[in-house]
Amino acid sequence: MKSDSTSTSGSTGLWKGVLGQLRSWRTVDIVVAAVIGVAVGVVFWLWNIVWSVTTPLFVAFPPAQAVVYGMWLISGVLGGLIIRKPGAALLTSIAAASVSAVLGTQWGIMVILDGTLQGILPELVFLAFGYRRWGMGVAVLAAAVAGVSPAIRDNLAYNVTWPLHHQITYGVIVVVSAAVIAGVGARLLTTALARSGALAPFPSARG
């Protein structure tokens, strides 16, 4: 009975903490989330071109092209690591996807749906740690979990004619690419920005 009470108390404390952080959003948090979204959205647009240009290089084994997929998953992880508040990963990811859609993409308006899904998933990882842990391990996990969305959706939407082993290989590579490019990349970028002094208004300024 005591352990149940302790567990309930701990859960209540976690949710109170998360709700408190959610209410603590400032104007600077919203502005920076938007700025990150716009900047990464431009990168996404350029990455769309990279994807199209490199497609012929993988004609012998199309699933291998997923090695470069991770860049499209960096926005939510980076936004979460920098702002460190509930909703930051989701807001940044939607903003980046929206900018990419406005600039033009071969996937049309569907990129906004993708951005939403790819923002929700890392958000859940940050929530699981109570928005208190922001190290490399959490960043990599958040990015890998974000990669689950395209690993499944792309196979259902675009790769339906592939053999099953190609689809599985594609999904695995997407998740690994996300962990390395979006996870490690976002964590290293956050550290670099913190050292430069650019993150002074945020807790992430400590690295």
Side-chain angles (χ1 to χ4, degrees):
M1 197 68 164
K2 183 177 180 181
S3 60
D4 290 343
S5 176
T6 302
S7 176
T8 302
S9 176
S11 177
T12 301
L14 170 63
W15 283 108
K16 282 184 178 179
V18 170
L19 290 174
Q21 293 180 70
L22 190 59
R23 288 192 292 265
S24 70
W25 271 79
R26 305 164 298 171
T27 301
V28 67
D29 299 325
I30 299 171
V31 170
V32 169
V35 169
I36 295 171
V38 170
V40 177
V42 173
V43 173
F44 283 178
W45 177 73
L46 293 172
W47 211 249
N48 295 339
I49 298 174
V50 171
W51 183 270
S52 296
V53 169
T54 59
T55 297
L57 301 177
F58 299 94
V59 67
F61 189 64
Q65 190 175 12
V67 295
V68 300
Y69 204 108
M71 183 60 72
W72 280 317
L73 297 161
I74 198 170
S75 57
V77 181
L78 183 62
L81 291 178
I82 289 177
I83 300 170
R84 301 190 177 183
K85 290 184 178 178
L90 178 58
L91 176 59
T92 306
S93 188
I94 291 176
S98 299
V99 170
S100 177
V102 169
L103 292 176
T105 169
Q106 56 267 53
W107 297 286
I109 200 70
M110 291 304 295
V111 297
I112 298 179
L113 170 62
D114 291 332
T116 301
L117 294 172
Q118 293 161 17
I120 289 173
L121 292 176
E123 197 77 60
L124 293 175
V125 173
F126 295 138
L127 172 62
F129 289 95
Y131 294 96
R132 293 190 182 94
R133 294 182 60 184
W134 307 99
M136 181 65 79
V138 173
V140 169
L141 178 60
V145 171
V148 172
S149 172
I152 295 173
R153 208 183 85 76
D154 285 6
N155 280 326
L156 294 175
Y158 309 115
N159 307 332
V160 290
T161 60
W162 286 2
L164 180 60
H165 68 279
H166 276 204
Q167 293 183 358
I168 292 173
T169 301
Y170 178 86
V172 170
I173 296 175
V174 166
V175 171
V176 173
S177 177
V180 174
I181 298 178
V184 175
R187 180 59 257 183
L188 293 178
L189 182 55
T190 301
T191 300
L193 289 172
R195 288 175 178 170
S196 74
L199 304 182
F202 303 97
S204 52
R206 295 189 292 272

